[in-house]
Amino acid sequence: MNIQKGRYRHYKGQDYQVIDTVIHSETEQILVLYRPLYGDAKLWVRPYEMFFETVDVAGEQVPRFALVEALEKE
């Protein structure tokens, strides 16, 4: 799966850098590799489907993470 690398905003307001997708070695599940752009900036992974799902905020469906600034293609 392709992913647009860049800066994403979580629906709660914090920004994150999406680095790439990775594959779980046992299940072959696609995961999104990202880091917060605040705090200690540790690397995190989240299932691709969960990263791009929508969540209910005050009765409105909004993306969990929304692209704010795309990184230029390498």
Side-chain angles (χ1 to χ4, degrees):
M1 292 185 164
N2 291 330
I3 189 169
Q4 179 61 61
K5 298 173 187 173
R7 184 166 50 102
Y8 284 74
R9 183 155 299 137
H10 189 266
Y11 74 97
K12 292 182 180 177
Q14 298 283 7
D15 284 358
Y16 296 81
Q17 175 193 10
V18 167
I19 299 165
D20 212 339
T21 56
V22 296
I23 302 171
H24 190 287
S25 64
E26 298 295 320
T27 65
E28 296 189 8
Q29 180 181 25
I30 305 295
L31 306 166
V32 176
L33 176 65
Y34 65 102
R35 79 173 76 231
L37 295 174
Y38 61 91
D40 59 13
K42 291 181 181 177
L43 294 175
W44 292 82
V45 294
R46 183 182 294 255
Y48 184 93
E49 294 80 11
M50 182 184 287
F51 192 91
F52 288 105
E53 72 185 356
T54 59
V55 294
D56 186 292
V57 177
E60 180 181 348
Q61 292 294 308
V62 297
R64 181 181 296 277
F65 290 91
L67 182 64
V68 174
E69 182 180 4
L71 186 66
E72 290 186 27
K73 299 204 182 231
E74 299 169 357

